[in-house]
Amino acid sequence: MSYPSKVRIFEVGARDGLQNEKQLVPCDIKVELIERLVDAGVTAVETGSYVSPKWVPQMADTVDVMAKLTRRSGVTYAVLTPNMKGYEGAVASKADEIEIFSAASEMFNQKNINCSIAESLERFIPVTDAAKKDGIPYRASVSCALGSPFAEEITPAAVADVSKKLYDMGAYEISIADTIGVGTPIRTKQVIEAVADVIPIEVIGVHFHDTYGQALANYHAALEMGITRLDSSVAGLGGCPYAPGATGNVATEDVVYMLDGMGIESGIDLKELVRTAWFISDHLGRIPVSNVARALKNKLN
Ligand code: HMG
Ligand code: MG
């Protein structure tokens, strides 16, 4: 067992986080959130999604967010795209990369993007063809990899199967998502092992929600296996409107605190990050779910 010396944090708060808020967050707040994250050292940030505004109204202003952002060189500004219409939006707003998304659960996929897993993969072919032609990198995510909200069993083999198909479509990273945060460390390892049997372990990423408080333990399990691609969400914001019961992703502050303690480099300044967690939480009118953000609040200066 050996831990990586360095990881990449892909910050999803402005998308996965804010897509789940009941209140619509103004564009300027989203822009400030993203710029603060970048100031804190985040180098990969999901700014929003080009999905149907009827399905996810919280993301309807992604085009404005992308237009208003002051971009920093060396930073990847990514958006989620479910189809060609989304891809065209991403290109028009000069996204650095896109994310396509499917699932290991048929029921979730139907509820989330209104098609079967097989249909979603078909739908992504023109998207990935265009992205290859345009030179836009894309990553892919596999939802419900550690469990489904719909009383069905998800096997590691099913996760590996979708992961391999998305990898064969040219995704540079396959993000294994615990959409409803039910995973535990040994199960996490079993799923990563199954996926690593069919695609290189270097391209596997992890995206864990923290519904049952297991996400940090699961990230630790993934780090033990050499995973270096971690998604997290400032202030622990998030959830998925189409996954009943899902709460936020693991808080980026909690992940960075753990990484700092383990001597694993993330490039992120914890204090700046905690200030950012309070900035967005104050706007939302609540305290961050992150233990680290709460513990450090009075030690920021
Ligand atoms: P549909 O109703 O089957 O699609 O939805 P449609 O093609 O019939 O289009 C319906 C309407 O949406 C049309 O408008 C389209 O133009 C419009 P109308 O004619 O009715 O006025 N439309 C779009 N508008 C803007 N951007 C687009 C777009 N596409 C169609 N790209 C669709 C299918 C995929 C569009 C819909 O199901 C959808 O938008 N789903 C997105 C759901 C979503 O965003 N879920 C959350 C993100 S995934 C997630 O959180 C999981 C993740 O974090 C990992 C994890 O934790 O598991 C990534
Ligand atoms: Mg998610």
Side-chain angles (χ1 to χ4, degrees):
M1 176 207 312
S2 73
Y3 298 108
S5 57
K6 195 175 173 184
V7 296
R8 174 180 99 145
I9 300 241
F10 186 90
E11 167 60 52
V12 300
R15 194 279 304 168
D16 205 345
L18 299 185
Q19 77 178 9
N20 211 44
E21 289 300 323
K22 286 198 176 60
Q23 54 177 299
L24 294 184
V25 174
C27 176
D28 287 347
I29 298 285
K30 291 182 178 179
V31 169
E32 183 168 347
L33 170 65
I34 294 164
E35 290 178 350
R36 281 174 177 253
L37 287 166
V38 170
D39 285 345
V42 168
T43 56
V45 55
E46 207 175 21
T47 61
S49 54
Y50 285 109
V51 298
S52 162
K54 287 183 193 140
W55 284 61
V56 186
Q58 293 89 337
M59 293 289 112
D61 62 351
T62 297
V63 64
D64 304 321
V65 173
M66 288 296 277
K68 283 195 174 174
L69 273 174
T70 301
R71 303 217 197 164
R72 182 88 54 87
S73 74
V75 175
T76 297
Y77 299 88
V79 292
L80 197 74
T81 55
N83 53 20
M84 270 314 278
K85 185 162 183 168
Y87 178 74
E88 281 151 17
V91 171
S93 62
K94 299 193 167 46
D96 297 304
E97 69 174 56
I98 59 160
E99 178 171 11
I100 56 175
F101 52 111
S102 188
S105 157
E106 284 291 355
M107 288 164 86
F108 173 77
N109 217 54
Q110 285 289 355
K111 293 233 183 308
N112 195 41
I113 50 176
N114 206 20
C115 64
S116 68
I117 296 169
E119 283 162 346
S120 71
L121 298 174
E122 282 287 313
R123 197 182 275 178
F124 291 133
I125 292 173
V127 175
T128 56
D129 283 350
K132 275 183 214 148
K133 191 166 118 315
D134 298 337
I136 298 183
Y138 46 98
R139 65 175 214 152
S141 108
V142 180
S143 287
C144 299
L146 290 162
S148 162
F150 303 113
E152 52 178 347
E153 203 206 333
I154 304 292
T155 62
V159 182
D161 181 53
V162 186
S163 300
K164 170 97 171 84
K165 287 176 176 147
L166 290 163
Y167 178 68
D168 288 344
M169 289 168 73
Y172 79 85
E173 174 180 320
I174 306 297
S175 181
I176 302 302
D178 185 6
T179 315
I180 54 165
V182 288
T184 47
I186 291 174
R187 184 61 168 182
T188 298
K189 286 189 169 180
Q190 288 167 347
V191 170
I192 293 174
E193 265 161 20
V195 178
D197 275 347
V198 294
I199 67 174
I201 194 148
E202 298 76 32
V203 307
I204 300 175
V206 284
H207 171 112
F208 296 157
H209 289 248
D210 199 27
T211 318
Y212 286 80
Q214 304 294 299
L216 270 188
N218 296 341
Y219 276 90
H220 184 265
L223 288 166
E224 280 185 326
M225 297 182 74
I227 299 295
T228 60
R229 302 170 176 278
L230 315 180
D231 287 10
S232 57
S233 173
V234 64
L237 301 173
C240 177
Y242 296 101
T247 63
N249 297 70
V250 66
T252 309
E253 310 85 271
D254 293 2
V255 176
V256 170
Y257 180 85
M258 181 174 84
L259 294 171
D260 285 354
M262 294 170 74
I264 300 175
E265 199 186 315
S266 71
I268 297 178
D269 181 283
L270 185 58
K271 283 190 171 177
E272 279 308 314
L273 185 63
V274 167
R275 286 191 188 96
T276 307
W278 279 97
F279 159 77
I280 190 64
S281 301
D282 285 344
H283 174 81
L284 295 169
R286 58 171 188 258
I287 57 170
V289 295
S290 157
N291 288 322
V292 170
R294 293 198 303 266
L296 287 183
K297 182 169 192 331
N298 297 320
K299 298 184 186 164
L300 287 177
N301 294 313

